[in-house]
Amino acid sequence: MVAPSVADTTALVADVAVRAASPACQRDYIFSYRVPEHLCPVITAGHLVWVPFRQQQMQGVVIGLHRRQATALRDLIDLVDPELSIPPLGLALAHWVARAYYTPLAAVLDLCLPPGIVQQAVTTWRATSNGLNYELGSLPERERSILFYLRRYGEQSEVELRAALRGSDADLRTAYRALAERGLIARGMRIDPPRVRPRLERVVQLAVADLAPALAMLRRAPRQAAALRWLAERGDRQPIALAELRDATGIDMVSVRALARRGLIALFEREVYRDPLATLTPPPDTPPPLTAAQREAYETIVSTLEAGSGGQFLLHGITGSGKTEVYLRLIARALRLGRQALVLAPEIALTAQLVRRFAARFGNQLAVLHSGLSDGERYDAWRRLRRGEARLAIGARSALFAPLPELGLVIVDEEHEPSYKSDAAPRFHARDAALQLAELAGVTVVLGSATPSVESFYAARNGHLRLLQLPERIGGQIGADGLVHARPLPLPPVRIVDMRRELQQGNNSIFSAALQQALAQTLERGQQALLFLNRRGAASFVFCRDCGYVARCERCVAPLTVHYDHATAAASEPVNVLICHSCGQRAAAPVICPQCLSRRIRALGAGTQRVAEAVRELFPQARVARWDRDSATGKDAHGKLLEAMLARQIDVVVGTQMIAKGLDLPLVALVGVILADTGLYLPDFRSGERTFQLLTQVAGRAGRRSEGAQVIIQTYQPDHYALQAAREHDYQGFFREEIAFRRALAYPPFGRLIRFVIANTSEAGCRKQAERLASDLHRYISERDLAGWRLIGPAPAFFRRQRDRWRWHLLLRVPADTTHREITVALDALGPLTGWVIDIDPVQVL
């Protein structure tokens, strides 16, 4: 007998990242499974599969395939869906994100899959034939209730039984085992259906070429004959929706089935995409001529695109300089080259306007991905991109993981925005991940901004990114030839108003005299105004002038913000309610101080609600709208506000940072910043940078189509370098001040930060955990003599208590050239960091 060769005993083995960990878990569940013979020809790395895991069936993603001896391995069960496969580029990016941000690979792979496809195999119990006939009275009470329930309602999952019988898991499991040992119940398994599936519609198609014999056959069925004639008169003989046929002819389903049985029509189902752009009718788009600066930027970038050599660019263009038109030209070239393109935008509000411009240029080649869409719409967009039916993806942070097997171009618009950093696990930064994606794929990436992040501009100054600049704002005018010609426009003048002097002059209003006058003139001319205040609500907090009491959230300690509640109020007298912006807790605004019973309790400060009310009081005829997280709720809310602005249905918009992010509002002639100081002195090293960016961006909304616009910034700190740079539209001056500050303290880009946050219901326990980790980190640094590694803290977080949990944090500062591997080794050496939030390269430290 000949012994089998090694090749005969090997099998195809799949390494699978099993989706078994909770989001807070920091370990990977990667196991190897033997691939059954019938799956070997079709399975690939990236497929979503079912695998046995302990005593259950779980879903997982195949991350690798290889051949080896596999006699001790369990068999993989099956593919979840042959189409649910992550492209190789998506897998490579997921591996990088997991390593770079110290997060489980399975958690990142979830981002690469469409929403709503998660399924779980749940344990079920059913009564056996013996159990159906057993005398219930002879059983203990708990076992009797379980068997009675199963006999009455049939097979049930353990979750359903626990909800119905209200027992603890331990008690119920003991009862299950006892009943199973008696042979009265049997264990089973049920796979819950996915929450989202392809949408199908029934369609009908004419199945005969010669209509005369068919109509003769239907002499006694006039309704069927009429439906057949209607189908024939359409001419194209293409399938149409059954609902359309029934609406047009009034035919019922009995008659439809009769036509199908006679072979006169074909009745079948087809997939219908849920398209969020179906009702969008953008106006015709004619590409404008490029300015010299735009053309130079376009030709520089497109050369690398055509050569397929990659290339990383920072497009620094002032507000209104035409960055979006450069993006559109680059995308068009990429599509002509047979490649796909990805555009990231930081906010849904900005995505809404970009989608309109891109849809006008690229039509049904566009797929949109962001959290404002339904799961079904995102599921269909994912599948269109995976199949190559859509060539351009546009969306917020998560669109980075869209399946783009033929990617050629990545654009990150407003690359400086902090919202590109995820504040939930996995805590990745979409801008940095986009740079890595482009490097992995060897494709071109463009970062665009009027106010680049300090890190990006520093990288461009040092040659890691190629800097391209658009230094002029573009307007348009109609020439003698009847065509629109680009012409340079000056940036709007910015005036800083010192609110301390306004108070000295007796002006206690929200608005300075200069802003009131400018607002009146703007409304008289029929132009629009934006009023910016990065604070929601009607007032910042409630304060007692006698004892100093401040109304705070019981769960978060943070001051409660005053809001007008029009829903429960009389038409003319809104009720004040207090809302916590952290946990959402609501309370009635006190009439007297609960601490000293004084009636001298007042709401202080102002929010967007109060500003909007103040505008209505000053200008009763003005049409005022708010644009913040409270008002822009529901699907398409941002799009509707934008349409109302463009249609001149709004005169004054009062908003938070949502209105400062790249919106193109051609009729805005005045921008007023109600208070520039709200984030200026927060204990965060990026506070100056964020203030400058917000002010410069919101100022850039004014005068984008014509001259004569103005910007007024109200502040109590007029000499701060961020405000002075914003007044002069001077990014270079701001960068010089900010980079000197960062260099002196070794903050990014001269160092890297790792933030550790712990939360506990006990403040003492929270502090103890933080101090223990700090001690472990100090010991790790000293034992290895790590130069440049320094610990800051531990200390209470700025938001010290949230949702009844106290928060402490500490920062580890390491040299800028510290690798992901070195950070991972250090974190692994600290042992399981259960309960800790670990944020590598954080964008805020509050």
Side-chain angles (χ1 to χ4, degrees):
M1 183 175 180
V2 180
S5 66
V6 174
D8 294 333
T9 61
T10 61
L12 185 62
V13 173
D15 296 327
V16 178
V18 181
R19 305 171 71 182
S22 69
C25 182
Q26 294 168 350
R27 62 169 288 196
D28 281 318
Y29 285 81
I30 299 175
F31 297 91
S32 297
Y33 295 89
R34 184 172 51 233
V35 179
E37 288 296 328
H38 71 282
L39 292 179
C40 289
V42 295
I43 195 169
T44 63
H47 261 126
L48 187 63
V49 295
W50 285 105
V51 295
F53 186 78
R54 298 182 181 137
Q55 303 302 315
Q56 305 175 60
Q57 293 181 21
M58 303 292 292
Q59 287 184 339
V61 175
V62 178
I63 60 172
L65 291 166
H66 50 90
R67 284 199 168 271
R68 66 179 175 89
Q69 291 183 321
T71 53
L73 297 181
R74 302 171 76 179
D75 276 359
L76 183 147
I77 298 171
D78 203 355
L79 304 181
V80 173
D81 182 337
E83 282 199 347
L84 289 178
S85 175
I86 302 170
L89 181 58
L91 278 180
L93 178 64
H95 279 284
W96 182 85
V97 169
R99 291 192 303 268
Y101 296 99
Y102 198 68
T103 193
L105 178 60
V108 187
L109 292 171
D110 278 350
L111 301 176
C112 301
L113 293 166
I117 53 92
V118 177
Q119 294 173 268
Q120 291 186 345
V122 296
T123 300
T124 61
W125 293 98
R126 60 176 176 80
T128 64
S129 56
N130 289 338
L132 291 171
N133 300 304
Y134 197 81
E135 176 58 43
L136 290 175
S138 62
L139 293 172
E141 181 181 354
R142 175 59 71 189
E143 294 173 31
R144 182 169 65 247
S145 61
I146 292 172
L147 186 55
F148 173 79
Y149 196 81
L150 293 176
R151 281 160 61 159
R152 181 169 184 178
Y153 295 105
E155 187 173 14
Q156 299 286 307
S157 71
E158 290 187 349
V159 173
E160 292 164 338
L161 286 167
R162 182 171 65 247
L165 303 177
R166 301 182 183 279
S168 68
D169 286 339
D171 289 345
L172 289 171
R173 289 196 185 101
T174 300
Y176 299 149
R177 284 195 297 268
L179 288 167
E181 287 170 0
R182 291 190 178 95
L184 302 179
I185 65 172
R187 184 197 301 266
M189 190 77 68
R190 183 181 75 205
I191 296 177
D192 290 337
R195 192 173 70 252
V196 179
R197 300 179 185 177
R199 175 182 285 178
L200 302 175
E201 72 171 359
R202 302 187 74 179
V203 295
V204 63
Q205 186 176 25
L206 192 64
V208 291
D210 188 357
L211 203 62
L215 292 175
M217 186 190 310
L218 299 175
R219 282 194 303 270
R220 297 186 178 182
R223 187 167 295 178
Q224 295 179 39
L228 213 59
R229 288 193 195 93
W230 186 85
L231 286 171
E233 288 168 0
R234 295 182 75 254
D236 57 7
R237 292 182 176 268
Q238 294 298 314
I240 67 163
L242 176 59
E244 185 180 348
L245 171 67
R246 294 187 63 187
D247 288 344
T249 64
I251 190 171
D252 57 28
M253 280 306 300
V254 174
S255 299
V256 169
R257 294 190 186 98
L259 286 171
R261 283 196 303 270
R262 287 171 168 158
L264 302 178
I265 63 171
L267 191 62
F268 53 95
E269 288 185 327
R270 69 180 176 189
E271 183 178 348
V272 180
Y273 287 131
R274 288 154 284 208
D275 184 5
L277 307 180
T279 59
L280 184 65
T281 55
D285 179 58
T286 302
L290 297 179
T291 65
Q294 284 177 308
R295 181 162 296 282
E296 181 181 354
Y298 168 75
E299 291 176 350
T300 302
I301 299 169
V302 86
S303 63
T304 68
L305 184 63
E306 293 174 339
S309 58
Q312 299 183 352
F313 300 90
L314 175 62
L315 183 60
H316 177 204
I318 64 172
T319 56
S321 60
K323 295 185 292 295
T324 304
E325 183 58 35
V326 176
Y327 301 158
L328 290 165
R329 299 289 183 104
L330 291 170
I331 293 165
R333 186 58 184 150
L335 299 186
R336 288 196 298 271
L337 293 170
R339 310 300 297 275
Q340 290 174 302
L342 168 65
V343 179
L344 297 183
E347 293 278 357
I348 298 173
L350 182 53
T351 304
Q353 185 166 57
L354 281 178
V355 164
R356 281 166 169 75
R357 290 196 63 180
F358 283 49
R361 195 75 62 94
F362 302 112
N364 60 8
Q365 297 184 84
L366 176 63
V368 183
L369 291 162
H370 60 69
S371 60
L373 304 176
S374 70
D375 284 351
E377 288 169 335
R378 287 188 288 157
Y379 174 83
D380 287 346
W382 189 95
R383 296 170 74 239
R384 288 180 62 219
L385 290 165
R386 185 69 177 90
R387 294 170 173 176
E389 297 171 8
R391 311 297 296 172
L392 167 62
I394 180 171
R397 186 175 58 223
S398 60
L400 178 73
F401 298 95
L404 297 163
E406 298 174 320
L407 184 65
L409 174 67
V410 179
I411 293 171
V412 184
D413 191 31
E414 307 295 343
E415 64 84 27
H416 65 278
E417 277 294 330
S419 56
Y420 278 126
K421 180 69 189 283
S422 174
D423 56 3
R427 290 176 168 79
F428 68 97
H429 198 302
R431 179 199 61 213
D432 298 341
L435 290 168
Q436 183 63 29
L437 175 66
E439 187 171 318
L440 289 169
V443 302
T444 300
V445 62
V446 180
L447 311 182
S449 177
T451 54
S453 66
V454 170
E455 290 91 333
S456 293
F457 199 76
Y458 182 78
R461 289 265 299 258
N462 285 278
H464 299 297
L465 298 172
R466 187 167 177 182
L467 180 62
L468 301 171
Q469 294 187 307
L470 302 178
E472 291 184 339
R473 170 172 277 203
I474 301 171
Q477 65 180 9
I478 300 177
D481 55 5
L483 300 177
V484 177
H485 295 270
R487 65 183 178 90
L489 272 180
L491 287 165
V494 178
R495 178 179 176 184
I496 293 181
V497 176
D498 188 344
M499 294 302 286
R500 296 172 300 184
R501 292 185 179 177
E502 293 287 317
L503 288 174
Q504 292 169 1
Q505 294 169 5
N507 181 9
N508 296 318
S509 168
I510 293 173
F511 306 117
S512 63
L515 184 53
Q516 284 190 48
Q517 182 181 1
L519 193 55
Q521 293 172 349
T522 300
L523 293 173
E524 285 175 8
R525 292 194 294 263
Q527 297 171 318
Q528 292 175 325
L530 291 185
L531 298 180
F532 169 75
L533 177 62
N534 208 19
R535 183 183 290 153
R536 293 179 286 148
S540 304
F541 58 95
V542 169
F543 172 77
C544 176
R545 298 187 179 187
D546 286 336
C547 71
Y549 165 83
V550 174
R552 297 182 181 273
C553 174
E554 295 177 357
R555 301 177 62 196
C556 304
V557 186
L560 293 167
T561 302
V562 182
H563 284 250
Y564 298 142
D565 187 359
H566 293 275
T568 59
S572 60
E573 297 183 0
V575 175
N576 286 355
V577 295
L578 303 180
I579 300 178
C580 175
H581 286 174
S582 177
C583 71
Q585 182 182 0
R586 299 168 68 95
V591 177
I592 61 173
C593 174
Q595 187 166 283
C596 71
L597 303 182
S598 168
R599 290 189 174 274
R600 286 163 46 83
I601 188 165
R602 298 288 185 270
L604 299 180
T608 51
Q609 277 187 315
R610 179 68 191 100
V611 174
E613 290 295 325
V615 174
R616 293 188 184 101
E617 291 168 5
L618 285 172
F619 307 101
Q621 303 304 316
R623 296 166 296 178
V624 183
R626 281 170 42 228
W627 197 335
D628 56 26
R629 196 185 305 170
D630 295 327
S631 59
T633 58
K635 189 176 180 181
D636 298 330
H638 299 287
K640 291 174 182 176
L641 279 166
L642 180 61
E643 288 177 357
M645 283 290 290
L646 297 176
R648 300 193 181 195
Q649 296 170 359
I650 298 173
D651 299 317
V652 181
V653 168
V654 180
T656 57
Q657 59 184 354
M658 288 183 176
I659 65 172
K661 298 185 177 181
L663 292 172
D664 188 7
L665 303 170
L667 304 176
V668 171
L670 170 67
V671 167
V673 178
I674 302 302
L675 184 62
D677 310 342
T678 52
L680 198 55
Y681 290 107
L682 290 172
D684 189 317
F685 71 94
R686 296 185 195 272
S687 60
E689 178 185 20
R690 287 198 186 131
T691 298
F692 170 78
Q693 288 168 341
L694 272 173
L695 294 179
T696 302
Q697 290 283 344
V698 75
R701 302 315 105 203
R704 295 175 71 90
R705 293 294 185 276
S706 61
E707 300 178 19
Q710 60 178 317
V711 180
I712 296 175
I713 297 176
Q714 300 181 162
T715 178
Y716 291 92
Q717 303 292 334
D719 298 325
H720 194 282
Y721 70 90
L723 274 65
Q724 290 298 320
R727 182 181 67 177
E728 302 298 329
H729 303 282
D730 184 10
Y731 179 84
Q732 297 281 357
F734 162 77
F735 179 79
R736 285 192 297 270
E737 292 277 355
E738 186 69 16
I739 204 70
F741 159 67
R742 301 279 185 94
R743 183 182 285 109
L745 297 178
Y747 281 137
F750 302 102
R752 298 186 64 188
L753 297 176
I754 300 98
R755 187 185 186 213
F756 303 85
V757 183
I758 190 68
N760 197 309
T761 53
S762 162
E763 184 176 17
C766 193
R767 176 175 182 170
K768 186 176 181 181
Q769 287 176 279
E771 290 174 344
R772 185 185 304 121
L773 179 60
S775 176
D776 292 344
L777 278 166
H778 277 302
R779 184 166 54 253
Y780 179 86
I781 294 169
S782 61
E783 287 176 354
R784 289 159 181 78
D785 193 22
L786 296 172
W789 288 52
R790 183 190 168 195
L791 195 61
I792 305 172
F798 179 75
F799 298 109
R800 186 171 184 173
R801 187 181 176 198
Q802 289 183 331
R803 301 176 185 268
D804 280 331
R805 294 175 66 83
W806 297 91
R807 301 169 71 249
W808 277 59
H809 67 162
L810 55 157
L811 286 173
L812 176 61
R813 192 174 65 197
V814 300
D817 58 356
T818 305
T819 64
H820 299 317
R821 176 63 182 163
E822 290 171 317
I823 292 173
T824 298
V825 169
L827 296 177
D828 285 344
L830 296 172
L833 294 170
T834 306
W836 282 93
V837 170
I838 302 170
D839 191 359
I840 296 174
D841 299 327
V843 298
Q844 60 88 13
V845 293
L846 300 177

